[in-house]
Amino acid sequence: MASKQARIAVVDDVAAVRNSLKALLATYGYEVMTYERAESFFSAMADSPPSCVLLDVRMPDMDGLTAQRLLTTKMPGVPAIIITGHGDIDMAVQAMKEGAFDFIEKPIDDQKLVASVAGAVEKAAHRHAAEAKRAEILERYRRLTKRERDVLKLVAQGYSSFAIASLLSISIRTVDHHRASIHAKMEAASLSQLIKLALEIEKDS
């Protein structure tokens, strides 16, 4: 069964399709919101993005491909599954190239759709967890003083305490004091773990 926290948005201008998909996904434990227009979806969920969105390719006002492009800007990280008719495969492939998670052809195979949604939700969850982890590491890093950050950078580059002391014109004892403080603030149990954390910080700098 799906997590109760997984929220799925269905955007399709055909009421029968919306209702059918909502009923199907609800049986798997998903919370499902339906929208007739892409504009309504973006307006309603601007402050609370879903775990996944199903977008029909052919819709009035804003088609699925345009909506997918807008999704990557307004809700980065939210996976989209494109619903397409046989004649719209080229559009679906284009959406995939632009970041869509998957596309499902009509008539919709329920099991394929459910499997695709589960994969998209898992991808979103992993991304969310990774972002939360990065945010936590950056928060620890903000605890460091400027001098401690300088020491950490050199430690990550492989410099010894002796070399760091020479480069920063401070004593080895002071370097060791900074290193102990850095380990505590960064909550690193070992040098290898500290270096991994430093490399993560470097990615975001």
Side-chain angles (χ1 to χ4, degrees), residues 11-185:
V11 187
D12 195 300
D13 61 315
V14 179
V17 174
R18 295 196 303 273
N19 294 336
S20 175
L21 292 177
K22 181 174 183 177
L24 170 66
L25 294 172
T27 64
Y28 286 85
Y30 294 110
E31 178 185 354
V32 186
M33 290 72 62
T34 62
Y35 302 93
E36 184 178 2
R37 298 285 189 274
E39 293 90 339
S40 300
F41 158 69
F42 284 115
S43 177
M45 308 204 76
D47 298 325
S48 182
S51 304
C52 172
V53 57
L54 307 184
L55 290 170
D56 187 33
V57 166
R58 296 288 182 182
M59 293 187 291
D61 301 326
M62 184 188 299
D63 62 36
L65 189 56
T66 302
Q68 157 62 19
R69 291 169 180 153
L70 191 58
L71 184 73
T72 59
T73 300
K74 289 183 172 291
M75 302 178 185
V78 174
I81 296 172
I82 306 299
I83 300 173
T84 175
H86 179 71
D88 302 319
I89 298 299
D90 288 345
M91 292 180 67
V93 171
Q94 182 61 36
M96 293 282 288
K97 290 179 179 178
E98 296 182 11
F101 177 79
D102 197 2
F103 72 87
I104 301 292
E105 295 180 72
K106 297 177 180 177
I108 296 172
D109 181 306
D110 290 354
Q111 294 308 309
K112 287 183 179 179
L113 176 67
V114 170
S116 183
V117 168
V121 168
E122 183 178 6
K123 177 183 179 182
H126 286 168
R127 180 188 175 99
H128 179 74
E131 289 176 347
K133 180 181 178 181
R134 283 196 295 271
E136 182 183 351
I137 292 171
L138 288 173
E139 182 58 34
R140 296 178 197 172
Y141 181 69
R142 294 188 185 99
R143 303 174 192 169
L144 304 184
T145 65
K146 183 181 183 305
R147 177 61 85 185
E148 287 170 345
R149 293 179 185 183
D150 292 338
V151 172
L152 175 59
K153 184 177 181 179
L154 293 171
V155 168
Q157 293 175 359
Y159 287 94
S160 65
S161 291
F162 178 83
I164 293 172
S166 178
L167 287 168
L168 298 181
S169 299
I170 56 179
S171 69
I172 296 177
R173 182 176 180 180
T174 299
V175 172
D176 288 340
H177 173 77
H178 285 316
R179 291 183 65 157
S181 178
I182 292 167
H183 272 274
K185 291 180 180 180

